[in-house]
Amino acid sequence: MERTIQDKFELTAAEIDRYVGETEEVLAKEKIDPKDALRLRFMLEETILKYRDALSEKAVASLRFSRFFGTFRVSLKVKGERYDPFKESDDSAASVMGSLLANSGGLNRAWKYRGGANLVTFTSPRKRRVSQLVAILLGIVIGVIFGLLFTAIAPDTAPVIAERIITPITNAFTGLLCVMATLLCFGAIVLGIVRLGDISTFSNIGKRMIRSFLLVAFVLTLLNTAWMVPGMTFGMSSRVSIDFYDFFDILIDFVPNNILAPILEFNSVHIIIIGVMFGITMLKMGQKADRLTEIFDEVNIVAILSNTSLNYFIPIYVGLMVSGLIMSGQLAVISGFWKLLLIVVAGEAVTLIAYTLVVCIRLKVNVRTYIHKLLPPFMISLSSANVGAAFVTTIDTLIGPLGVDADYAPLAYNLGSILFRPGYCIVFTACSLFTADLYGIKVTWAWLLAAFLLSFILSVATPPVIGGTTVCFSILFSQLGIKAEALAVIISVNAVFEFLTVAVNNYCLQSQIVLLGHKFGKLDCDRLRAAKAK
């Protein structure tokens, strides 16, 4: 459906009332949710009034309505000088707009200037008959039932089905999610930097975010190491030899070899490095980069709409992942390492609880409400063990239910995703100390210090690609003198740990971004505390 109700109208009071009224009629005919329709009507009217004040009553405008994959869009075109109606300022009208945006209930808005005209769009969220959380939980339950039944009925055939049918399907869908997430990740980091306004603001916020991420990761690694020390056997026979070149190789791998590899592998480190370079360059170019910014905006809108469609298949994807995990027998690999499983699960559970309590106490949020808001991205991460699969849902959760600023959230998330992975802090320390104790290695305080520092560094430096943790475990064990045969066992066990670890990383990173958003003045606390989306 596409309709233009008026090619040209002037911004007089009578004309504004007339066409805003016609907009209400269109929204009613299209059966838009009454709350969304009311918000959209007020936002549209406020936007037109801002253009009348900024330009004049003689400015010419037009309205157009369209529907795409269940989303409804209102487009406003105003000819005249460049003017961004969403730009923050101290005047009263901007305060009204700021209040409307803060309570937009998930309505997406965009502005760009092209061909001598200001183009503003408002896009309503596509309504779900069943919430995403309920759909994901249902997918998990069905996946567990199907996996257990098929394993019981055909124990010999189940692993083959998992390997030859389920795994290729889930891998293909994961790849599709990652490709689309790559576009969003790159666009988000570029636009996030450009919209900060100047290089000094980016430098200030970026440094504070990075310092915060590294400090918390350091403390978590230290606490987890201290927690396991009482169970260690100390002696004087351990030899620790740190090879500088192993770490140098990891640092060199941070530099992308070509522009296609990051897209194909969803290597967030490479994507962010390239995005930061583009963003800083465009920030320095100022208005000369406006056309390029518009292109990024348009690509970002296409990626968002495409991911909206893909997200409807997430529950099926999650169910297949769970079924495949059960049918392939991967859960059985941890039976001999139940103690290590308990250590890792306990450490990550304590971290999740601590973060939840810190956020809820400091920001006065209901615990149940907060957990409910973070469950959808957590469940996707838990079932897929892939940060790319949950990327879009995570960003939507940050900007929507959690109330983080739309420009700040993607920038913070992308930086944090390569610097802040508390799940790895716990897994690396737990696996190294547990394996040393299991194989009878008598450790010294120097060995313990090396294990702590290596676990911290590798938690930050783990390549975000398939096999990244395997590389880090190889370095960790070789540097600590742990027998090579232990590596194969730990890598197999970690194949199961990875699901929980990725989910914990994502949950804690969102919580850290919420805390930093409050500190930087980039958080809508009212929306965060609300039990339902406004």
Side-chain angles (χ1 to χ4, degrees), residues 262-511:
I263 298 174
L264 297 175
E265 300 173 355
F266 189 67
N267 189 322
S268 58
V269 174
H270 292 174
I271 293 169
I272 290 170
I273 289 174
I274 298 173
V276 168
M277 293 172 61
F278 266 78
I280 292 176
T281 302
M282 291 169 61
L283 197 61
K284 291 181 177 180
M285 290 174 63
Q287 292 187 351
K288 295 180 180 179
D290 285 348
R291 178 53 184 159
L292 190 56
T293 302
E294 292 175 7
I295 293 175
F296 275 109
D297 272 324
E298 292 172 354
V299 172
N300 203 44
I301 291 173
V302 172
I304 289 173
L305 292 174
S306 300
N307 276 283
T308 299
S309 301
L310 287 177
N311 277 348
Y312 283 87
F313 297 96
I314 288 291
I316 300 174
Y317 165 72
V318 169
L320 287 174
M321 290 288 294
V322 174
S323 294
L325 187 66
I326 294 174
M327 293 166 62
S328 62
Q330 291 188 48
L331 293 178
V333 75
I334 62 174
S335 59
F337 280 75
W338 62 268
K339 185 178 179 181
L340 177 59
L341 173 64
L342 291 178
I343 292 172
V344 171
V345 171
E348 296 190 338
V350 169
T351 304
L352 289 177
I353 293 171
Y355 255 110
T356 301
L357 292 178
V358 169
V359 172
C360 292
I361 293 173
R362 288 187 60 182
L363 304 182
K364 300 178 181 179
V365 184
N366 180 274
V367 174
R368 183 177 178 181
T369 297
Y370 184 71
I371 293 176
H372 184 269
K373 290 182 177 183
L374 266 67
L375 268 179
F378 180 85
M379 298 307 297
I380 295 174
S381 302
L382 181 64
S383 59
S384 66
N386 189 292
V387 67
F391 180 84
V392 177
T393 303
T394 301
I395 296 298
D396 287 345
T397 301
L398 284 169
I399 296 174
L402 296 182
V404 181
D405 181 81
D407 293 331
Y408 162 76
L411 177 63
Y413 180 77
N414 282 295
L415 286 178
S417 64
I418 63 171
L419 296 174
F420 186 66
R421 288 173 281 192
Y424 286 143
C425 297
I426 296 168
V427 168
F428 286 140
T429 54
C431 287
S432 58
L433 272 63
F434 174 84
T435 308
D437 189 58
L438 184 67
Y439 283 85
I441 297 176
K442 296 181 179 180
V443 304
T444 65
W445 287 106
W447 186 97
L448 194 64
L449 178 62
F452 158 68
L453 291 176
L454 284 167
S455 297
F456 166 67
I457 294 171
L458 291 174
S459 72
V460 176
T462 301
V465 294
I466 297 174
T469 52
T470 300
V471 173
C472 290
F473 272 119
S474 301
I475 294 173
L476 182 64
F477 280 26
S478 64
Q479 301 302 311
L480 296 177
I482 300 176
K483 295 180 180 181
E485 55 263 29
L487 180 62
V489 178
I490 289 298
I491 289 176
S492 299
V493 173
N494 184 65
V496 178
F497 287 165
E498 192 74 5
F499 290 87
L500 178 61
T501 302
V502 171
V504 169
N505 289 341
N506 209 32
Y507 185 100
C508 293
L509 176 55
Q510 290 179 87
S511 300

Side-chain angles (χ1 to χ4, degrees), residues 10-292:
E10 295 183 347
L11 304 185
T12 62
E15 293 285 274
I16 293 174
D17 288 340
R18 178 182 174 185
Y19 291 110
V20 169
E22 287 198 25
T23 300
E24 285 186 293
E25 294 178 5
V26 173
L27 297 177
K29 290 180 180 178
E30 290 297 319
K31 299 181 180 179
I32 304 299
D33 182 271
K35 292 182 179 179
D36 287 341
L38 185 61
R39 294 187 187 104
L40 200 154
R41 184 248 190 232
F42 280 128
M43 292 180 72
L44 177 63
E45 184 177 17
E46 183 65 26
T47 301
I48 296 175
L49 290 173
K50 286 175 70 68
Y51 274 114
R52 185 190 66 180
D53 295 338
L55 304 178
S56 71
E57 290 188 350
K58 298 297 182 181
V60 177
S62 63
L63 282 171
R64 183 168 59 88
F65 307 99
S66 57
R67 184 179 288 278
F68 180 81
F69 282 108
T71 60
F72 184 78
R73 176 180 295 182
V74 177
S75 302
L76 171 69
K77 181 178 181 180
V78 184
K79 294 183 178 181
E81 298 178 1
R82 175 190 298 270
Y83 178 72
D84 182 356
F86 309 119
K87 187 176 181 180
E88 295 180 1
S89 63
D90 294 327
D91 59 82
S92 58
S95 299
V96 173
M97 178 60 75
S99 177
L100 290 171
L101 293 174
N103 297 279
S104 60
L107 290 172
N108 296 315
R109 94 283 186 192
W111 167 85
K112 58 186 176 182
Y113 187 79
R114 186 172 62 189
N118 295 276
L119 304 175
V120 180
T121 58
F122 298 101
T123 306
S124 68
R126 185 174 179 180
K127 293 299 179 182
R128 294 178 179 270
R129 295 182 179 179
V130 180
S131 71
Q132 187 177 43
L133 175 58
V134 173
I136 292 172
L137 292 175
L138 184 61
I140 291 175
V141 171
I142 294 175
V144 170
I145 294 173
F146 180 80
L148 292 175
L149 285 176
F150 204 91
T151 302
I153 296 172
D156 296 331
T157 308
V160 179
I161 297 295
E163 181 182 357
R164 301 295 297 273
I165 297 179
I166 294 179
T167 299
I169 292 175
T170 54
N171 285 347
F173 193 76
T174 299
L176 189 59
L177 286 172
C178 288
V179 169
M180 299 311 302
T182 298
L183 296 176
L184 283 173
C185 179
F186 183 72
I189 200 75
V190 172
L191 294 173
I193 293 174
V194 171
R195 286 169 178 166
L196 287 176
D198 58 80
I199 195 68
S200 60
T201 302
F202 167 70
S203 178
N204 181 44
I205 292 180
K207 287 179 180 178
R208 294 169 70 184
M209 282 194 297
I210 292 172
R211 185 165 58 245
S212 175
F213 290 142
L214 294 179
L215 177 61
V216 175
F218 184 88
V219 172
L220 285 175
T221 309
L222 179 62
L223 291 175
N224 195 61
T225 304
W227 175 49
M228 294 192 63
V229 165
M232 299 297 299
T233 301
F234 284 80
M236 300 300 294
S237 61
S238 294
R239 179 182 64 85
V240 179
S241 175
I242 305 299
D243 189 348
F244 164 78
Y245 296 103
D246 284 338
F247 292 103
F248 181 73
D249 289 340
I250 288 181
L251 293 177
I252 290 299
D253 287 340
F254 272 44
V255 181
N257 294 321
N258 59 70
I259 198 169
L260 292 179
I263 298 174
L264 297 175
E265 300 173 355
F266 189 67
N267 189 322
S268 58
V269 174
H270 292 174
I271 293 169
I272 290 170
I273 289 174
I274 298 173
V276 168
M277 293 172 61
F278 266 78
I280 292 176
T281 302
M282 291 169 61
L283 197 61
K284 291 181 177 180
M285 290 174 63
Q287 292 187 351
K288 295 180 180 179
D290 285 348
R291 178 53 184 159
L292 190 56

